[in-house]
Amino acid sequence: MSLAAGADRVVAAARWGALACSLLLAAPQAHRPGVVPGAAALLALTLLHGTLPRRLPAAGALVPAVVCALSGGWTSPLLPCVLPPVLALGLGRGFLPAAGLSVATAAVVARLGPSTAAAAWLTELLLLAVVAAYARRLEARAVHDERLRIARDLHDQLGQDLSGLGFLIDSGADRAELRAAVADIVRGLRDTLAGLRADTVDDLDLADFLARVARRSGLAVSFSAGQAGPELVRIAQEAVVNAERHARASAVSVRVEGGFVEVRDDGVGLPPRPPAAGHYGLIGMRERAEAAGGALEIESAPGRGTTVRCRVEPS
């Protein structure tokens, strides 16, 4: 799910939740001036929100404030509906726009007059703006980290394959060799994309992933697993892909259980000083281990295979 799509779902849920709460509060107070037409206006706004022009966000955002001002000010039962617009702006554009909307909302509801209620609600709106803006930064960071991981995957897989193709072209290889090399690149790209699609689902099926690796590489894969978090499963995936691409291994064993993961191969092992520029997947695995609150442990020697372990203590 993209950053914008995720924020839209959260905001839509907040709008409908605030509207439902407001309608429940308004039902016993339907006799008050402005409550019934205000509730109707907010229901229409919520229903039509997805069709409103995006160039008029401020107009739509201030409608709940105007409705509340006309239906009792800070005693209006429709006040919950002033919260979602601030949440939407904080998630979409950050703190300053959301804070500006918070001040404008408080001023409109209070009809430009200061009061204790106005100060309390302004504080609440500003806190919501802070939380929404912070959530936006966290999500943006997560998207950035995932883009870096994808870039490393593509670099390791396609970069090496394309370099090999260039070598064949320079050496004057015949058409059959070139066709076979291109077929390998296409197959590798397809596998990489399949892995990325699998990485986006909530239920990471490690057994299915290992079966795909065994089919495409011929590796003998043994697997033992219990319940484990998604970060540990992804560490196991990256360690297996590393063994497949670089270790020249014939067998890989994978054990995942609770807060522990171990991937062992019988390949050539790591050189004394592995390249640091994203090769061997070490950077990605270490980042995932740190994100899960654990540490990556690697045992390897030239010609003696590699073992990758990560243990995460329960919180």
Side-chain angles (χ1 to χ4, degrees), residues 1-15 49 54 84-94 132-133 135-137 139-140 143:
M1 183 188 300
S2 67
L3 176 61
D8 286 346
R9 290 191 180 186
V10 170
V11 172
R15 282 198 178 93
H49 177 77
R54 288 191 176 270
V86 174
L87 174 67
L89 208 56
L91 290 173
R93 298 178 59 187
R136 178 176 183 266
R137 290 187 63 183
E139 185 66 19
V143 170

Side-chain angles (χ1 to χ4, degrees), residues 54 71 85 128 130 143 163 203 269 281 285 305 307:
R54 288 191 176 270
S71 60
L128 179 61
V130 170
V143 170
S163 296
D203 184 14
M285 286 188 285
T307 300

